[in-house]
Amino acid sequence: MTLALPIDPEANDLLNRDPLALLLGMVLDQQVTMEKAFSSPYVLTQRLGRGLDARSLADHDPEVLVALFAQPPALHRFPKAMASRVQEVCRVLVDRYDGDAAGLWSGVADGRELLRRVADLPGFGRQKAQIFVALLGKRFGVTPEGWREAAGGYGDADAHRSVADVVDAESLRRVREYKQQAKAAAKAKTAEG
């Protein structure tokens, strides 16, 4: 089980071997394509000239980090906000998990605890936390008791709702269709109200 997005193979490799890269990809996965979000940790390592380290990122000069995020092509459409968010998440990792991103999910008692830990991160609402729990369970073997229930509909075995369900071009197409339908339904609901 691994993540296989249609991005640079080296970016996929980084996501599959570095828990911090995976987590930062999820941090960045909003208002950009999932390909952009999950390839940006790899681009960041290139710009830093070294691997990702939560302590180093937490302590990084904020202005320098923003400049790294904003350098063309920008790592996100909101480079300043997302550089700050990455620092905030890394500070939580340092404070609670000794700087180890995998500590976020290591040794959890059950899916509810895993969801709570993820949802406690800056920028992670319930939906984003559920998607990350599903991603950990479906692609990385992090399957404490009750993880599917904690992930909600994103944990369904046959779902095509998020990055957790992407294994090839066809599954990516189905995830995109689901997201378009969900967006259209939300827009219609707003128009009714």
Side-chain angles (χ1 to χ4, degrees):
M1 290 188 294
T2 58
L3 190 59
L5 294 172
I7 59 176
D8 185 308
E10 290 180 19
N12 264 322
D13 180 58
L14 180 66
L15 294 170
N16 286 306
R17 65 181 163 76
D18 184 342
L20 182 56
L22 182 67
L23 179 60
L24 295 184
M26 194 71 218
V27 168
L28 298 172
D29 190 19
Q30 63 185 61
Q31 299 186 349
V32 295
T33 65
M34 72 177 79
E35 295 93 336
K36 178 71 172 173
F38 285 92
S39 63
S40 287
Y42 175 68
V43 176
L44 182 58
T45 64
Q46 293 177 312
R47 292 178 184 180
L48 289 167
R50 63 182 187 288
L52 299 173
D53 177 75
R55 289 184 192 284
S56 175
L57 288 168
D59 294 336
H60 213 283
D61 180 311
E63 290 181 16
V64 173
L65 191 59
V66 168
L68 289 172
F69 267 68
Q71 176 184 326
L75 298 182
H76 195 277
R77 67 186 283 205
F78 302 111
K80 184 175 182 178
M82 289 315 218
S84 177
R85 177 69 43 79
V86 162
Q87 276 199 304
E88 292 169 3
V89 167
C90 287
R91 286 181 186 129
V92 170
L93 293 176
V94 170
D95 291 346
R96 296 182 194 165
Y97 305 103
D98 198 31
D100 179 14
L104 184 63
W105 54 86
S106 297
V108 293
D110 56 32
R112 283 190 314 261
E113 181 184 356
L114 177 57
L115 181 63
R116 181 192 52 75
R117 285 185 181 188
V118 176
D120 281 348
L121 293 172
F124 278 74
R126 183 167 182 81
Q127 181 181 32
K128 188 173 202 142
Q130 286 180 316
I131 292 170
F132 195 65
V133 168
L135 179 60
L136 291 172
K138 291 179 175 183
R139 301 288 153 244
F140 295 93
V142 178
T143 56
E145 184 177 331
W147 74 270
R148 284 190 189 275
E149 294 79 7
Y154 298 102
D156 293 347
D158 297 325
H160 286 91
R161 295 182 175 143
S162 74
V163 65
D165 304 308
V166 177
V167 294
D168 57 21
E170 174 61 16
S171 59
L172 175 63
R173 183 190 65 74
R174 291 177 71 184
V175 166
R176 289 211 194 291
E177 281 179 4
Y178 171 81
K179 287 183 173 194
Q180 288 171 347
Q181 290 168 357
K183 195 175 197 178
K187 200 174 201 178
K189 189 174 183 177
T190 302
E192 289 173 6

